[in-house]
Amino acid sequence: MTKRILRSILLVAVIGLIVSTGATMGILYYHFGGQLEEELRREASYLSVSVEKEGIEAFESLPADAERVTYIDTDGTVLFDNRADEDAMENHSDREEIQEAFQQGAGTAVRESDTLSQRTLYYAVRLSDGKVLRVSSTQYNLPGLLGGMIQPILIILILMAAISAWMAYRVSKAIVDPINKLDLEKPEENQVYDEIAPLLTKINRQQKQIKREIADAKRQQDEFSIITENMEEGFVIIDVHTEVLSYNSSALKLLGAEESKEKRSILAMNRSQEFQRIVEAVLSGRHVITMLDFGDRSCQIAANPVFHEGEISGAVLLILDVTERMKGEQMRREFTANVSHELKTPLTSISGFAEIINDGFVKPEDTRKFAGRIFKEAQRLITLVNDVIKISQLDEGKLPYEKEETDLYELCKEILRRMEERADAAGVHLYLYGPHVKVNTVQTILDEVLNNLCDNGIKYNKKGGNLTVTIEEDGAEARISVQDEGIGISPEDQKRIFERFYRVDKSHSKAIGGTGLGLSIVKHGAMYLGAEVKVESTLGKGSKFILVLPEK
Ligand code: ADP
């Protein structure tokens, strides 16, 4: 901008200089031209008075530096000329000023010289005897005058150009500097030129609009990030060249990729061939839903191409971690198979005994014995079905969730009372210690949990052994431990006894009426109550199951 202003000012100054110099020269030239003509007239009139009086002798007193004077006869013959030989001069009757003088008494003419740099001004006057007196003077014409003065003119022009260049530089700087110093962050606070005030107002308005739009975009982006960051599903958006445009941290975790500030291809986030094939397929326009294992996680991938004006512009990939679901499904399948198997055994026995009786192979005195066996198997079936129902209810969380204040001591006392008969039969002594700790809990479930632990404490105890239930209060927690002096559980088995249908010794468990679901019910029940179950056991010495309950 400075350069442009500088150039414009300079151009105007130079044109101004040239025009003003030319105009001044022209004015001076015509002014002096007019003066010269006036002088010629005056001289001619003085001289004509002398010539009228003295005739040709009047010219003898002409000074040497006088203007050129020519005396012409009535026929045009030159009678005298102070600058040339009159005899060698041609007849002057055809000269414009002479003819005019003959006819009108006076005449003027201007003729350019051969060199074109000079011109001659003629003034002729007719005397009383009809002869003509002509005075002439030569002066430089305009180009001649300029040519003669070219050097000083050029020097003045260059000087003036230099001065105007310097001034133009200062002026343009003075104009541009305040503009350069404008604070565009606060456009309306600048008070530089009134002319740019509308521009600054416009900038201010646009800045406010841009700020608003940026804030809106940022808010939207933040909302989008919050939503996607809270998604358990992995989420990746890519462009048509596989470059990642957006993703969430779940996607990083599932794909096993590192966080990166650099732009990168989705293919760099997971280099498995199957994943690359999915990306290729989706970018060729296919909708893909498939299962893929990333390390120890099983994932379902849903990849959708994104179209813009009929062309594929990218893709959205959703990655769902279905490991738990798969495990759950696997467990359910195993559970169903186990339940079917467990149901089949007593049913086969019942069916077998009933068939023998029906075929009449059983002596009347043995019928009772067989009926007793059928009853026992049926009881087993009922226990099993009841346990399965309890497990399913706990699994689905369908039990009534009503908490009530429960005195743990009273509850344990009641459970042990119910066990007395069985404990007697097994030769096990029951003990209960501890204070009357009150907790707010779902009593039916806690009853079920403790019942199973005490039942196992009797089942897996030794004859004459003790089963001791101890209640303790520890800060905000209540602990109930169920300790027996039975067969104990090895450390390896301790890890698995809470699994469904897991029994350390299957035949022993069956013989004593176990279903293999008791501890599984304990685990699920404890989870339902927000409690924790721990086991401490030594083979051959006994086991201690500890239930840690939150009091409130
Ligand atoms: P079960 O109906 O067979 O008792 P549980 O789920 O209650 O099934 O227990 C799983 C297995 O854990 C039992 O078969 C048994 O081998 C072992 N077990 C449970 N409680 C005890 C205990 N108090 N002492 C020793 N072993 C136990």
Side-chain angles (χ1 to χ4, degrees):
M1 186 178 174
T2 319
K3 272 189 193 160
R4 211 175 153 156
I5 295 176
L6 188 84
R7 241 184 286 136
S8 308
I9 295 177
L10 213 60
L11 192 72
V12 170
V14 170
I15 291 173
L17 272 174
I18 293 171
V19 170
S20 61
T21 311
T24 312
M25 295 296 291
I27 290 164
L28 286 177
Y29 174 75
Y30 285 107
H31 174 72
F32 288 119
Q35 267 194 353
L36 187 68
E37 197 182 319
E38 199 47 47
E39 252 172 55
L40 289 182
R41 263 181 216 277
R42 236 189 342 263
E43 217 173 306
S45 87
Y46 292 148
L47 208 59
S48 59
V49 175
S50 313
V51 176
E52 290 271 19
K53 233 194 265 167
E54 303 168 28
I56 202 154
E57 273 83 46
F59 297 117
E60 282 167 19
S61 57
L62 269 179
D65 59 346
E67 300 293 353
R68 184 176 181 184
V69 177
T70 314
Y71 187 45
I72 300 136
D73 206 352
T74 47
D75 61 355
T77 317
V78 177
L79 299 172
F80 173 78
D81 193 296
N82 60 348
R83 296 280 170 84
D85 177 9
E86 51 271 6
D87 297 332
M89 286 174 76
E90 58 192 39
N91 189 291
H92 269 40
S93 57
D94 58 343
R95 302 290 156 89
E96 187 189 344
E97 71 281 3
I98 306 293
Q99 275 182 1
E100 221 174 304
F102 280 144
Q103 284 160 18
Q104 295 164 19
T108 53
V110 178
R111 280 194 287 278
E112 299 295 326
S113 72
D114 296 344
T115 57
L116 284 179
S117 62
Q118 290 186 326
R119 65 173 197 164
T120 309
L121 230 81
Y122 298 93
Y123 180 72
V125 58
R126 192 183 65 205
L127 303 177
S128 54
D129 56 0
K131 291 177 184 153
V132 169
L133 177 71
R134 187 184 76 176
V135 187
S136 66
S137 178
T138 300
Q139 66 161 181
Y140 280 111
N141 60 11
L142 201 52
L145 200 64
L146 282 174
M149 289 173 72
I150 195 74
Q151 212 176 358
I153 286 174
L154 272 181
I155 290 170
I156 291 170
L157 269 179
I158 290 167
L159 211 72
M160 292 306 285
I163 292 169
S164 24
W166 180 74
M167 283 184 63
Y169 170 74
R170 295 299 302 256
V171 169
S172 58
K173 215 167 132 50
I175 294 172
V176 172
D177 270 0
I179 296 174
N180 282 338
K181 284 181 189 148
L182 281 178
D183 181 3
L184 291 179
E185 289 299 312
K186 299 164 196 152
E188 290 209 308
E189 287 180 18
N190 298 292
Q191 285 167 345
V192 185
Y193 301 117
D194 290 347
E195 291 81 354
I196 62 168
L199 178 71
L200 292 174
T201 312
K202 201 169 172 185
I203 291 175
N204 190 40
R205 223 180 16 244
Q206 282 183 345
Q207 253 176 14
K208 278 186 186 155
Q209 195 182 342
I210 290 168
K211 273 187 194 152
R212 252 196 325 270
E213 280 170 13
I214 290 175
D216 272 1
K218 170 121 184 40
R219 189 178 41 73
Q220 279 176 8
Q221 172 136 27
D222 288 349
E223 278 171 9
F224 182 74
S225 299
I226 289 168
I227 293 167
T228 54
E229 274 311 306
N230 284 319
M231 276 167 61
E232 274 180 27
E233 294 83 5
F235 165 86
V236 188
I237 301 177
I238 55 171
D239 69 7
V240 74
H241 308 295
T242 77
E243 192 170 284
V244 177
L245 303 177
S246 181
Y247 62 89
N248 64 358
S249 47
S250 298
L252 285 185
K253 213 160 59 201
L254 293 171
L255 292 173
E258 296 286 315
E259 176 85 61
S260 164
K261 294 255 177 286
E262 304 285 302
K263 293 213 160 206
R264 62 176 156 175
S265 161
I266 192 172
L267 302 176
M269 291 174 85
N270 187 286
R271 298 188 185 276
S272 78
Q273 278 197 348
E274 294 90 332
F275 185 65
Q276 316 245 327
R277 268 198 287 275
I278 292 170
V279 174
E280 267 170 36
V282 72
L283 287 181
S284 68
R286 268 187 289 143
H287 170 71
V288 186
I289 293 187
T290 186
M291 295 291 298
L292 210 61
D293 283 348
F294 294 124
D296 59 345
R297 314 302 297 171
S298 300
C299 292
Q300 186 177 36
I301 298 189
N304 278 302
V306 176
F307 291 92
H308 179 66
E309 291 174 356
E311 297 277 313
I312 295 172
S313 62
V316 180
L317 283 90
L318 267 180
I319 307 158
L320 281 77
D321 185 351
V322 291
T323 317
E324 298 308 321
R325 202 174 81 200
M326 299 291 276
K327 270 192 197 160
E329 272 169 21
Q330 174 73 10
M331 266 170 65
R332 258 189 288 282
R333 271 198 298 275
E334 282 174 13
F335 183 61
T336 313
N338 278 326
V339 169
S340 315
H341 181 75
E342 295 292 331
L343 288 174
K344 207 176 146 197
T345 322
L347 275 174
T348 312
S349 304
I350 292 170
S351 166
F353 294 135
E355 193 181 10
I356 297 169
I357 296 169
N358 189 40
D359 290 348
F361 292 130
V362 181
K363 292 181 217 154
E365 60 269 29
D366 290 334
T367 317
R368 253 189 92 137
K369 201 171 84 191
F370 275 88
R373 286 196 184 169
I374 289 173
F375 177 72
K376 201 178 153 204
E377 292 297 332
Q379 283 303 311
R380 252 171 70 75
L381 265 182
I382 291 168
T383 315
L384 186 69
V385 170
N386 278 337
D387 279 0
V388 170
I389 291 170
K390 280 175 211 156
I391 284 250
S392 312
Q393 284 175 332
L394 283 169
D395 248 4
E396 289 174 23
K398 277 189 181 163
L399 285 165
Y401 190 81
E402 266 182 42
K403 285 186 174 181
E404 54 191 302
E405 198 178 64
T406 308
D407 183 328
L408 294 181
Y409 187 88
E410 291 301 327
L411 180 67
C412 292
K413 197 167 134 191
E414 167 61 19
I415 293 167
L416 290 179
R417 196 195 55 72
R418 289 197 307 249
M419 302 258 156
E420 268 170 11
E421 210 176 307
R422 244 178 304 153
D424 273 355
V428 173
H429 308 290
L430 304 177
Y431 297 97
L432 173 63
Y433 299 111
H436 284 262
V437 178
K438 289 188 177 139
V439 294
N440 196 27
T441 192
V442 185
Q443 199 173 314
T444 43
I445 297 178
L446 182 59
D447 187 323
E448 186 66 44
V449 168
L450 291 170
N451 193 74
N452 278 304
L453 290 176
C454 293
D455 189 42
N456 282 351
I458 295 169
K459 278 195 304 192
Y460 301 105
N461 217 321
K462 65 178 182 198
K463 213 169 169 71
N466 296 328
L467 173 73
T468 312
V469 178
T470 313
I471 299 161
E472 291 164 292
E473 199 174 14
D474 183 6
E477 289 175 349
R479 287 160 179 267
I480 309 165
S481 53
V482 180
Q483 187 166 12
D484 63 55
E485 294 171 356
I487 56 174
I489 311 160
S490 71
E492 296 78 52
D493 288 322
Q494 282 175 34
K495 287 180 204 148
R496 301 201 57 193
I497 47 174
F498 292 98
E499 289 175 18
R500 294 167 186 190
F501 294 110
Y502 185 80
R503 289 120 155 179
V504 177
D505 180 346
K506 203 159 184 164
S507 54
H508 178 60
S509 163
K510 271 191 178 171
I512 55 177
T515 59
L517 291 173
L519 285 183
S520 193
I521 293 171
V522 168
K523 188 178 96 178
H524 279 78
M527 267 165 61
Y528 197 93
L529 299 175
E532 193 190 349
V533 213
K534 292 189 264 190
V535 58
E536 295 166 6
S537 183
T538 315
L539 262 182
K541 287 202 168 170
S543 313
K544 186 179 179 182
F545 286 83
I546 306 149
L547 187 71
V548 185
L549 274 169
E551 270 187 45
K552 287 177 187 170

